[in-house]
Amino acid sequence: MQQKMNNKPFCAAILGATGYTGQELLALLARHPRLRASFVSSEAEAGQPAPGGQLSYVRAEDVALGEVDIVFTCLPHGEAEPWALRARAAGARVVDLSPDLRDGRHGAVYGLPELWREVIRGADLVANPGCYPTGILLALAPLLRNGLVDIGRPLIVDAASGVTGAGRSAKRDLLFGEVAEDYRAYAAGNTHRHVPEIARGLAQLAGGATTGRTVPFVFTPHLLPVRRGILETLHVPVVPGIGAADVIMRWTDAYADEPFVEVWPAGLPSLRTTVHRNVAALGAGDVAGLEAPLVTVVASFDNLVKGAAGQAIQNANLMLGMCEQEGLPR
Amino acid sequence: MQQKMNNKPFCAAILGATGYTGQELLALLARHPRLRASFVSSEAEAGQPAPGGQLSYVRAEDVALGEVDIVFTCLPHGEAEPWALRARAAGARVVDLSPDLRDGRHGAVYGLPELWREVIRGADLVANPGCYPTGILLALAPLLRNGLVDIGRPLIVDAASGVTGAGRSAKRDLLFGEVAEDYRAYAAGNTHRHVPEIARGLAQLAGGATTGRTVPFVFTPHLLPVRRGILETLHVPVVPGIGAADVIMRWTDAYADEPFVEVWPAGLPSLRTTVHRNVAALGAGDVAGLEAPLVTVVASFDNLVKGAAGQAIQNANLMLGMCEQEGLPR
Amino acid sequence: MQQKMNNKPFCAAILGATGYTGQELLALLARHPRLRASFVSSEAEAGQPAPGGQLSYVRAEDVALGEVDIVFTCLPHGEAEPWALRARAAGARVVDLSPDLRDGRHGAVYGLPELWREVIRGADLVANPGCYPTGILLALAPLLRNGLVDIGRPLIVDAASGVTGAGRSAKRDLLFGEVAEDYRAYAAGNTHRHVPEIARGLAQLAGGATTGRTVPFVFTPHLLPVRRGILETLHVPVVPGIGAADVIMRWTDAYADEPFVEVWPAGLPSLRTTVHRNVAALGAGDVAGLEAPLVTVVASFDNLVKGAAGQAIQNANLMLGMCEQEGLPR
Amino acid sequence: MQQKMNNKPFCAAILGATGYTGQELLALLARHPRLRASFVSSEAEAGQPAPGGQLSYVRAEDVALGEVDIVFTCLPHGEAEPWALRARAAGARVVDLSPDLRDGRHGAVYGLPELWREVIRGADLVANPGCYPTGILLALAPLLRNGLVDIGRPLIVDAASGVTGAGRSAKRDLLFGEVAEDYRAYAAGNTHRHVPEIARGLAQLAGGATTGRTVPFVFTPHLLPVRRGILETLHVPVVPGIGAADVIMRWTDAYADEPFVEVWPAGLPSLRTTVHRNVAALGAGDVAGLEAPLVTVVASFDNLVKGAAGQAIQNANLMLGMCEQEGLPR
């Protein structure tokens, strides 16, 4: 597939468009100057109008995969993989927002642009990162790559996510009457399905591909009574002599030219500073009185934007040869 | 002051009764069969009726301190200390809900009944524990006392509190428009004012009074968009061979006869299971894949009840010779 | 069935105990001194423990209907009717919390104690009122009975309910992600299923049984992003010369001895003043500048307590010959 | 002041920029292609950086009023008037977002573009409408202008607003701990300060300028536990033979070319469908069984956008000769 001439718009299909991620993608594409949704699929709502008033949902098998430039698969775990392959076979580029391809199967490239931009540019199949890993990897990459982390001690991550991260299926546990005025840990003990993805990413950043090094960590997600947003509190074991100022300096160096990473020179970002924006905000602080030093790091971002649909558009922009920032709210 | 005969009710005064803690105390006393509020003070609302329709607020200096059996001081940090001393001098027993006396000054006894019940019984001046320390100390006491904790590695505590924990003063940061849909860490880096209280309690439980031992920890509180409740996620470094099952067994042993500590045999308690109740719920789980073992512990309780007003009534019940459970919702 | 001697406790069964109403009833019975739950049914959770730790859910057909004094049916519309009849046939008294019997079929008595207490006392089958009608009828009864309402003009009721009023079934519309930060009218145009019940009640209070008079009204419910509570704003057409002061006086006369109706002498009650309490609060205010006078009335109450489970216990207390207030939080 | 050549950007000052309205305006201007904020004032935060990272707050008297094209006054009631006059005297055009000038004093033009666009275009001083009146007037204008409303019977409006409508000053009543899980009517009985503004607007639309006709109404606002959004439920007395279909048809005719009014052909808009957008959504439904017909109308819009800052930008766009839609999210 060649690049469009004359700034002609590209066409996209969203498979599984009625979930929170699909809806966010649809809303973002409505503001994108050069990429527009041509097909939105839903088995349950086929025939009904989609928000925005331009399109109606169709069944996935009625999407003309060969006529679009890019396909976003927002299907449930297990259902996405065959559709992603089918879309690629039909000649479309594919960004898969499910967890299906994040282990690299079928040659899928892991789509975290700030860390691995060059391979994304040439890819025809990109696995969009999970929301939780996005913040953790962006926060730790400059530290691991520069040897600031003591990987002999475990990294502790307590993360809290808004409810849209759990999807839009009708489940009793996600009813307003259950979630409001509540807060809970879930999938504790490194049992969350993002754990292998986090482990792979951290190992790769630590140079593990060549050395076999892994980064020990404890990841405990919590469910917040808010609609959107993730806040991750990381307790990072650092090598002697290193403190929050060094962490901030490394981030500043690494992300100086990155429009979608916001380094806080002081203070810790709160959740609401980043919602509705394609931004991950990072802050760090020292902890007094410890023998082996830890730095407290907070990463805040919108699970539906930088943690999903916005990042997917970054990837699509790269894959289609557009400016990476095109159409994205900062 | 001698014990009442014939189950005659005791009389209480609440100094600083219009904050969230004072209001909760007033509501709890309304259901207490043997302790009733006789005076409620407020400088700003003096002369106005208090909830429940029985009492009007008076200025603190108009409270007849010598005529009540017990005084609860719910005044701001710094203002409570002189009033607590004045009330004791007038012959009343005193439970101070401020942080002023928690370092033991003036002979104040630290009022965590499940851990130090006997000294409370005979006390005339009790410092009611802070909300955050209550959960941490209840969770760790049986582990520290039995040598299950590796105090060579730091304990990590990420805690989240409902907004009533920050008081009822009109501050812009606590407006609904600021807090709703937000979540944030605050007082990170062991700077929260409860940190010395936690440190003292942990050291004492570790036998530090005789050995000088301290327990290293990192305490990071977060502000939750809910009205009430605290959920503390603790990453406890345990000695080799110890896991969540051992933790649960020690809790079960220690708290078998405690009506206000709820040990979960499996799973982790969520925040809403404990609100409006004078209960701290504890749960524990293992973490896979670490060299040096950690156990994930969750403590959940209502910051206004077991974390403040309910615990104050436990203390008052003990000090006045009543059954400790009298008038408390489980 | 004769009255118990010696204050021996009565036994209750709750059919359909896992919904919000059933759960509230279970929690209230746990504090009731003379009525205790012996059976709690759930088809989906049979065999699992119910909250409180004393009982496990059983299937409805495994409840020994003949061994309990009273059966509360909290089943969905349509399923309650046969079970209510079966329970009565087995010798139990029955309070049905579904809408099935509110038209009086099978001799069911409409269970609004403050208005029709005497017939409830002798009944073996009581239809517990719907939540919305409870507030409207309590607010209007003293006005209609005393001829203060101009029934030539329509009563306008805009009501807002917390989400638990919509039940605990897993429906996408009730997910936290859908309800939070939202507010909406639903079932507008007098299409809500409580409309016939409201019409019947108003007509009866207006003396319609003998005169055929009906009371025209417009009822528009709205869904609030809170867990519990109903606030109803009524615009009441009054006869010339009547104002809010008269309304308040009539309420005060009618409800002077009613522990569960709270008349506000001034101001309008907010939702949160009544949650977790078995109370309906009423307030009224004048409207300036109208030719045909209207009085603004606000009724506030907890949909799960005075609007459902608490009122059901009032009815049960009456039917079993206990004090009506027994076990109810004010 | 003449129109800019070459699409050069216009410059704006925001006086009182730290409130919710000022902050929203600042955020919207950051996305406006031709109008940018040059000065943002705050007495309390002078010297501190404003969101967006480009500007710092200055004291109002340090704003160079003569150097900007337009001044937005977001100051409290009473403080805005002198600053608006001062800004106009300095040669700037002025949009005042306070209630100070809405009665037309000093020649101020009432800035509801969809209804009175032409006079706004030429104005140098525009009073931006209040949030509540915006929805009511947009909903009723086509009905009053076409004689569909029976002004012999009162219009009933029950409105519900998110908390940001009450401002960002630190008041105890607006704390999260007070507002969460609550809902209340306030300023009932036509005592809200928007009542005269609504009365003026309705009378003008009914032709009252020439006939003296007024439109009787009852306006009762309520405080919702959400951050933003207003939903107004109107019970509109219509002349015989008129129903919801006629209402929708008149809206459709009147607003066919209006980008910022969204007419729902069926159903009623919920609050969340309009937040973060410069849109007022309108829906209507019939009410069965009334002698004198009423149509239920719902108007939904974002109090901070179409109800304040967005509408202010519409006005500024008109006053500066730009396309009215420039920079506004739909």
Side-chain angles (χ1 to χ4, degrees):
Chain A
M1 197 191 69
Q2 53 186 81
Q3 301 311 318
K4 297 273 164 132
M5 302 293 291
N6 308 321
N7 282 349
K8 273 178 56 184
F10 292 96
C11 293
I14 305 174
L15 301 187
T18 55
Y20 289 121
T21 301
Q23 295 283 298
E24 189 75 16
L25 200 42
L26 185 56
L28 289 172
L29 289 181
R31 299 200 287 170
H32 197 295
R34 291 194 58 209
L35 180 57
R36 61 184 178 82
S38 302
F39 296 94
V40 285
S41 93
S42 165
E43 307 311 298
E45 303 189 24
Q48 296 180 35
Q54 309 293 323
L55 295 170
S56 289
Y57 296 111
V58 296
R59 303 189 56 196
E61 63 182 37
D62 294 332
V63 174
L65 297 170
E67 295 176 15
V68 298
D69 299 293
I70 196 150
V71 172
F72 297 99
T73 45
C74 303
L75 298 162
H77 181 37
E79 293 178 36
E81 181 171 351
W83 279 103
L85 297 179
R86 203 160 150 177
R88 180 169 64 172
R93 285 184 172 85
V94 178
V95 179
D96 177 32
L97 289 92
S98 88
D100 285 6
L101 309 176
R102 293 181 194 149
D103 59 3
R105 67 182 68 179
H106 310 301
V109 164
Y110 190 69
L112 220 172
E114 287 79 5
L115 303 185
W116 297 289
R117 178 170 289 123
E118 288 318 311
V119 289
I120 297 166
R121 253 192 245 280
D124 58 3
L125 182 60
V126 163
N128 210 56
C131 48
Y132 288 122
T134 292
I136 296 170
L137 298 179
L138 286 173
L140 286 187
L143 315 185
L144 285 165
R145 284 174 169 171
N146 288 286
L148 270 61
V149 180
D150 174 2
I151 64 172
R153 292 180 286 145
L155 164 73
I156 309 284
V157 184
D158 282 312
S161 174
V163 178
T164 52
R168 205 180 179 194
S169 305
K171 294 178 188 161
R172 195 168 82 175
D173 279 1
L174 300 178
L175 292 177
F176 186 93
E178 306 296 303
V179 172
E181 294 285 304
D182 199 13
Y183 180 65
R184 65 175 69 211
Y186 68 99
N190 281 352
T191 61
H192 192 275
R193 71 174 178 201
H194 285 167
V195 163
E197 182 182 342
I198 296 167
R200 270 193 309 271
L202 293 177
Q204 186 170 351
L205 292 167
T210 49
T211 63
R213 249 180 307 193
T214 59
V215 179
F217 67 94
V218 181
F219 174 68
T220 313
H222 298 69
L223 186 65
L224 269 181
V226 304
R227 290 193 73 246
R228 53 164 80 207
I230 283 180
L231 192 117
E232 300 180 309
T233 302
L234 294 82
H235 303 280
V236 183
V238 285
V239 297
I242 292 299
D246 306 283
V247 166
I248 291 166
M249 190 186 305
R250 291 299 181 175
W251 286 340
T252 305
D253 287 353
Y255 297 130
D257 299 326
E258 293 294 345
F260 300 127
V261 180
E262 192 175 287
V263 178
W264 284 40
L268 300 175
S270 79
L271 186 143
R272 205 151 53 74
T273 61
T274 56
V275 293
H276 295 291
R277 303 171 60 209
N278 192 56
V279 161
L282 304 176
D286 288 306
V287 184
L290 295 177
E291 265 182 52
L294 292 175
V295 170
T296 300
V297 164
V298 167
S300 170
F301 55 101
D302 189 322
N303 59 304
L304 293 178
V305 189
K306 183 59 181 164
Q311 188 144 269
I313 289 177
Q314 273 184 271
N315 284 318
N317 286 345
L318 287 168
M319 295 163 82
L320 295 170
M322 288 183 280
C323 169
E324 185 179 335
Q325 306 179 38
E326 203 81 84
L328 286 168
R330 284 172 58 192
Chain B
M1 196 189 69
Q2 51 186 85
Q3 300 312 318
K4 296 274 165 129
M5 303 293 291
N6 308 321
N7 282 348
K8 274 179 57 186
F10 293 97
C11 293
I14 305 174
L15 300 187
T18 55
Y20 288 120
T21 301
Q23 294 283 299
E24 189 74 17
L25 200 42
L26 185 56
L28 288 173
L29 290 181
R31 298 200 288 169
H32 196 295
R34 291 193 57 208
L35 180 57
R36 61 184 180 80
S38 303
F39 295 94
V40 285
S41 93
S42 165
E43 307 311 299
E45 302 189 26
Q48 296 180 34
Q54 309 293 323
L55 296 170
S56 288
Y57 296 111
V58 297
R59 303 189 56 196
E61 64 182 35
D62 294 332
V63 174
L65 296 171
E67 294 176 14
V68 298
D69 300 292
I70 196 151
V71 172
F72 297 99
T73 45
C74 303
L75 298 161
H77 182 37
E79 293 178 34
E81 181 171 350
W83 279 103
L85 297 179
R86 203 159 148 178
R88 180 169 65 172
R93 286 183 170 86
V94 177
V95 178
D96 177 33
L97 289 90
S98 87
D100 286 6
L101 309 177
R102 293 180 195 150
D103 59 4
R105 68 181 67 179
H106 310 302
V109 164
Y110 190 69
L112 221 172
E114 287 80 6
L115 303 186
W116 298 289
R117 179 170 287 125
E118 288 317 312
V119 288
I120 297 167
R121 253 192 245 279
D124 57 5
L125 181 60
V126 164
N128 210 56
C131 49
Y132 287 123
T134 293
I136 295 171
L137 298 179
L138 287 174
L140 286 187
L143 315 186
L144 285 165
R145 285 175 169 171
N146 288 286
L148 269 62
V149 180
D150 173 2
I151 65 173
R153 292 180 285 147
L155 164 73
I156 309 284
V157 184
D158 283 311
S161 174
V163 179
T164 51
R168 205 180 178 193
S169 306
K171 294 178 188 161
R172 195 167 83 175
D173 279 0
L174 300 178
L175 291 177
F176 186 92
E178 305 296 302
V179 172
E181 294 286 302
D182 199 12
Y183 181 64
R184 65 175 69 211
Y186 68 99
N190 281 351
T191 61
H192 192 276
R193 72 173 176 199
H194 285 167
V195 163
E197 182 183 342
I198 296 167
R200 269 195 307 271
L202 293 177
Q204 186 170 351
L205 292 167
T210 48
T211 62
R213 251 181 303 195
T214 60
V215 180
F217 67 93
V218 182
F219 174 68
T220 313
H222 299 69
L223 185 65
L224 269 182
V226 303
R227 291 192 72 246
R228 54 164 79 207
I230 283 181
L231 192 117
E232 300 181 309
T233 303
L234 294 81
H235 304 280
V236 183
V238 284
V239 297
I242 292 300
D246 305 284
V247 166
I248 291 166
M249 190 186 307
R250 292 298 182 177
W251 287 339
T252 306
D253 286 353
Y255 297 130
D257 299 327
E258 293 294 345
F260 301 128
V261 180
E262 191 175 287
V263 177
W264 283 40
L268 300 174
S270 79
L271 186 143
R272 206 151 53 73
T273 59
T274 56
V275 294
H276 295 292
R277 303 171 61 208
N278 191 57
V279 160
L282 303 176
D286 289 306
V287 183
L290 296 176
E291 264 182 54
L294 292 175
V295 170
T296 300
V297 164
V298 167
S300 170
F301 55 101
D302 189 322
N303 59 303
L304 293 177
V305 189
K306 184 58 182 163
Q311 188 145 267
I313 289 176
Q314 273 183 271
N315 283 317
N317 287 345
L318 287 167
M319 296 163 82
L320 294 171
M322 287 184 280
C323 168
E324 185 179 336
Q325 306 179 38
E326 204 80 85
L328 286 167
R330 285 172 57 192
Chain C
M1 198 189 66
Q2 53 185 84
Q3 300 312 318
K4 295 273 165 129
M5 302 296 289
N6 308 323
N7 283 348
K8 272 178 57 186
F10 292 97
C11 293
I14 305 174
L15 300 187
T18 55
Y20 289 121
T21 301
Q23 294 282 299
E24 189 75 16
L25 201 41
L26 185 56
L28 288 173
L29 290 182
R31 298 200 287 170
H32 197 296
R34 292 193 58 208
L35 180 57
R36 61 183 178 81
S38 302
F39 295 93
V40 285
S41 92
S42 165
E43 307 311 298
E45 302 189 25
Q48 296 181 36
Q54 309 292 323
L55 295 170
S56 289
Y57 296 112
V58 296
R59 304 190 56 197
E61 64 183 35
D62 295 332
V63 174
L65 297 170
E67 295 176 14
V68 298
D69 299 293
I70 197 151
V71 172
F72 297 99
T73 46
C74 303
L75 297 162
H77 182 36
E79 292 178 35
E81 181 171 351
W83 278 104
L85 297 179
R86 205 161 148 177
R88 180 170 64 173
R93 286 184 172 85
V94 178
V95 178
D96 177 32
L97 289 91
S98 87
D100 285 7
L101 309 176
R102 292 181 195 149
D103 58 3
R105 66 181 68 180
H106 310 302
V109 164
Y110 190 68
L112 221 171
E114 287 79 5
L115 303 185
W116 297 290
R117 180 171 287 124
E118 287 317 312
V119 289
I120 298 167
R121 252 192 245 280
D124 58 4
L125 181 60
V126 164
N128 211 55
C131 48
Y132 288 122
T134 292
I136 295 171
L137 298 179
L138 287 173
L140 286 187
L143 315 185
L144 285 165
R145 285 174 168 171
N146 289 287
L148 270 60
V149 181
D150 173 2
I151 64 173
R153 292 180 285 145
L155 164 74
I156 309 285
V157 184
D158 282 311
S161 174
V163 179
T164 51
R168 206 180 178 194
S169 305
K171 294 179 187 160
R172 195 168 83 177
D173 279 1
L174 300 178
L175 291 177
F176 186 93
E178 304 297 302
V179 172
E181 294 285 304
D182 199 12
Y183 180 64
R184 65 175 70 212
Y186 68 98
N190 281 351
T191 62
H192 192 277
R193 73 172 177 201
H194 284 168
V195 163
E197 182 183 343
I198 296 168
R200 267 195 310 272
L202 293 177
Q204 186 171 351
L205 292 167
T210 49
T211 63
R213 251 181 304 195
T214 59
V215 180
F217 67 93
V218 181
F219 174 67
T220 314
H222 298 69
L223 186 65
L224 270 180
V226 305
R227 292 193 72 246
R228 55 164 78 207
I230 282 181
L231 193 117
E232 300 180 309
T233 303
L234 294 83
H235 304 281
V236 183
V238 285
V239 296
I242 293 299
D246 305 285
V247 166
I248 291 166
M249 190 185 306
R250 291 299 181 176
W251 286 340
T252 305
D253 286 353
Y255 298 130
D257 298 327
E258 294 293 345
F260 300 128
V261 180
E262 192 174 286
V263 177
W264 284 40
L268 300 174
S270 79
L271 187 143
R272 206 151 53 73
T273 59
T274 56
V275 293
H276 296 290
R277 302 170 62 209
N278 191 56
V279 161
L282 303 176
D286 289 307
V287 183
L290 295 177
E291 263 181 53
L294 292 175
V295 170
T296 300
V297 164
V298 167
S300 170
F301 54 102
D302 188 322
N303 59 303
L304 293 178
V305 189
K306 183 59 181 163
Q311 188 144 267
I313 288 177
Q314 272 184 270
N315 285 317
N317 287 344
L318 286 168
M319 295 162 82
L320 295 170
M322 286 183 281
C323 169
E324 185 180 335
Q325 305 179 38
E326 203 80 85
L328 286 168
R330 284 172 59 191
Chain D
M1 196 189 68
Q2 53 184 83
Q3 300 312 319
K4 296 273 165 130
M5 302 293 292
N6 309 322
N7 283 349
K8 274 179 56 185
F10 292 96
C11 293
I14 304 173
L15 300 187
T18 55
Y20 288 120
T21 300
Q23 294 283 299
E24 189 74 17
L25 201 41
L26 185 56
L28 288 172
L29 290 181
R31 298 199 288 169
H32 197 295
R34 293 193 56 208
L35 180 57
R36 60 184 179 80
S38 302
F39 295 94
V40 285
S41 93
S42 165
E43 307 311 299
E45 302 188 25
Q48 296 180 37
Q54 309 292 324
L55 295 170
S56 289
Y57 297 111
V58 297
R59 303 190 55 197
E61 63 181 37
D62 294 332
V63 173
L65 296 170
E67 294 176 15
V68 298
D69 299 294
I70 195 151
V71 172
F72 297 99
T73 45
C74 303
L75 297 162
H77 182 36
E79 293 178 35
E81 181 170 352
W83 279 103
L85 297 180
R86 205 161 149 179
R88 179 169 66 172
R93 285 183 173 85
V94 178
V95 178
D96 177 32
L97 289 91
S98 87
D100 286 6
L101 310 176
R102 292 181 195 149
D103 58 4
R105 67 182 68 181
H106 311 300
V109 165
Y110 190 68
L112 220 171
E114 286 79 5
L115 303 186
W116 298 289
R117 178 171 288 123
E118 288 316 312
V119 289
I120 298 168
R121 253 191 245 282
D124 57 5
L125 181 59
V126 164
N128 211 56
C131 49
Y132 287 123
T134 292
I136 295 170
L137 298 178
L138 287 173
L140 286 187
L143 314 186
L144 284 165
R145 285 174 169 171
N146 289 285
L148 270 61
V149 180
D150 173 1
I151 64 173
R153 291 181 286 145
L155 164 73
I156 308 285
V157 184
D158 283 310
S161 174
V163 179
T164 51
R168 206 181 179 193
S169 304
K171 294 178 188 161
R172 195 168 84 176
D173 279 0
L174 301 178
L175 292 178
F176 186 93
E178 305 296 303
V179 173
E181 294 285 303
D182 199 14
Y183 180 64
R184 65 175 70 211
Y186 68 98
N190 281 350
T191 61
H192 191 276
R193 73 174 177 199
H194 284 168
V195 163
E197 181 183 343
I198 296 167
R200 270 194 309 272
L202 292 177
Q204 186 170 351
L205 292 167
T210 48
T211 63
R213 251 180 306 193
T214 59
V215 180
F217 67 93
V218 181
F219 175 67
T220 313
H222 298 69
L223 185 65
L224 269 181
V226 305
R227 291 193 71 247
R228 55 164 79 207
I230 282 181
L231 192 117
E232 300 180 310
T233 302
L234 295 82
H235 304 281
V236 184
V238 285
V239 297
I242 293 299
D246 306 283
V247 166
I248 292 166
M249 190 185 305
R250 291 298 182 177
W251 287 340
T252 306
D253 287 352
Y255 298 130
D257 299 328
E258 294 294 346
F260 300 128
V261 180
E262 192 174 285
V263 177
W264 284 41
L268 301 173
S270 79
L271 186 143
R272 204 150 54 73
T273 60
T274 57
V275 293
H276 296 290
R277 302 170 62 208
N278 192 56
V279 161
L282 302 176
D286 289 306
V287 184
L290 296 176
E291 264 181 53
L294 292 175
V295 170
T296 301
V297 164
V298 167
S300 170
F301 55 101
D302 189 322
N303 59 303
L304 294 177
V305 189
K306 184 58 182 163
Q311 188 144 268
I313 289 176
Q314 272 184 270
N315 284 318
N317 286 345
L318 287 168
M319 295 162 82
L320 295 170
M322 287 184 279
C323 170
E324 185 180 335
Q325 304 179 39
E326 204 79 86
L328 286 168
R330 284 173 59 193

